[in-house]
Structures are given as structure tokens and as C-alpha cells.
Amino acid sequence: MTELETAPAEPAVPPADPWSGWDPLISAAGIVVSVLAIVVTAFIELALSPLRTGALGAVVAGDSPFVATGFAVPLSVPLAVWANLAIGWFTVFTTGRRALIGLPWALWTLIMLLASGSRTAEGDFLLTESNWVAVVTILAGSLTFAVHAYMLIFKPAPPAVPVPTGSGLPGGVQ
């Protein structure tokens, strides 16, 4: 070989992804965070469902905001929709598995169903059929998960990553 001729360059080996071994841990953390978020948001939605327009006046008078009079404020309905949508997206994004949207959906529904049939220490129901905000919150929150899951079913699968064959040398030489 002359000085002008050079040996063929080695094929470039792509650098290893620094997060490649962390996938199981990230997925597990995503599930834990989504479960905690569902529990927290479900209880916030339950607490906001009996809210009335006279709540501020009741608080100023020194009473509980939940014994106020006036019209029902449906604050828990948009909260349920947006929180469930965000938590569903987070679960699918962090785990990489579409089917895991069923976990927060089932947990949220279970919390709401248990709350609708439970009584407080005073004997009152947490959610009643006369509280239309609670009924709409349960319907809207569950439908949010249902529509999100339906959209995930019809979303095309991501393209497959090609698996390298051979040793990476030209021509697939072993």
C-alpha cells in the first residue's frame, strides 16, 4: 500500500443508549406514579363534587364549605376529564404498553364505586344520586379512559427497530 492509499475504515459502531438498561425501572416507576396520581386525584374529585356556590360565604362565616347552599359547582367534572387523560397518557408513555391504561382506569373506577356506596361516620353517603355533579364526574371520568383506550387501539403500531445481523462487518461476515 502506498501512502495515499488507506485501509478501509472500520464500520462506525453507534454509541450505546445510556438509558437502555433503565427500561424496567422507568416502567415500574411510571406505574407507581400513575397509581398514586389516580388515588390523589380521585379523592380530590370526590371532595370537590359537593361544592356549592355559597361555599365562600360559608367559609367566611366559619362553617364548612360543604354545608353551603346555592347551585352546584361542577368543578370536579373537568378535573376528572383532564386528570384521567393526563394520567392515562403518562402511564402509556412511561411503560410503553398501551394495555396498561386499564390499571389506572380500573383503580379510578373502583375508588368511585366504593365511594358511591360508602357512608361517612355520621351516616351520610359520600356520593348520592341527588348530587348530579358526582354522577357526571363518574360518567365523564370513566368515558375519558374509555375514549383514550379506544383511540390507542386504532393508533398504528410504532415502526419496528431493525435488529442488526452478523458482526456488523460489510457483507454480514461472521
Side-chain angles (χ1 to χ4, degrees):
M1 284 177 133
T2 64
E3 291 179 24
L4 296 176
E5 292 179 25
T6 58
E10 290 289 321
V13 177
D17 183 18
W19 293 99
S20 64
W22 290 77
D23 286 344
L25 183 63
I26 292 172
S27 292
I31 290 171
V32 169
V33 169
S34 67
V35 165
L36 291 174
I38 278 294
V39 170
V40 168
T41 58
F43 283 113
I44 291 172
E45 293 157 13
L46 288 171
L48 291 177
S49 67
L51 198 60
R52 302 255 172 207
T53 55
L56 184 60
V59 170
V60 171
D63 290 333
S64 170
F66 302 110
V67 297
T69 59
F71 299 107
V73 179
L75 190 60
S76 63
V77 177
L79 177 63
V81 170
W82 288 109
N84 291 354
L85 186 62
I87 294 168
W89 173 84
F90 177 80
T91 303
V92 173
F93 181 77
T94 56
T95 62
R97 301 189 185 273
R98 298 177 188 177
L100 284 180
I101 193 172
L103 180 66
W105 184 3
L107 181 60
W108 186 87
T109 304
L110 181 67
I111 290 170
M112 290 298 164
L113 291 177
L114 289 175
S116 65
S118 298
R119 290 182 181 263
T120 63
E122 293 82 21
D124 300 326
F125 282 107
L126 289 175
L127 300 177
T128 64
E129 67 275 356
S130 63
N131 182 0
W132 67 269
V133 175
V135 174
V136 173
T137 300
I138 293 172
L139 176 67
S142 190
L143 278 177
T144 299
F145 278 120
V147 169
H148 190 181
Y150 183 77
M151 290 173 59
L152 286 174
I153 290 170
F154 289 106
K155 183 178 177 183
V161 178
V163 178
T165 58
S167 64
L169 297 176
V173 177
Q174 296 289 328

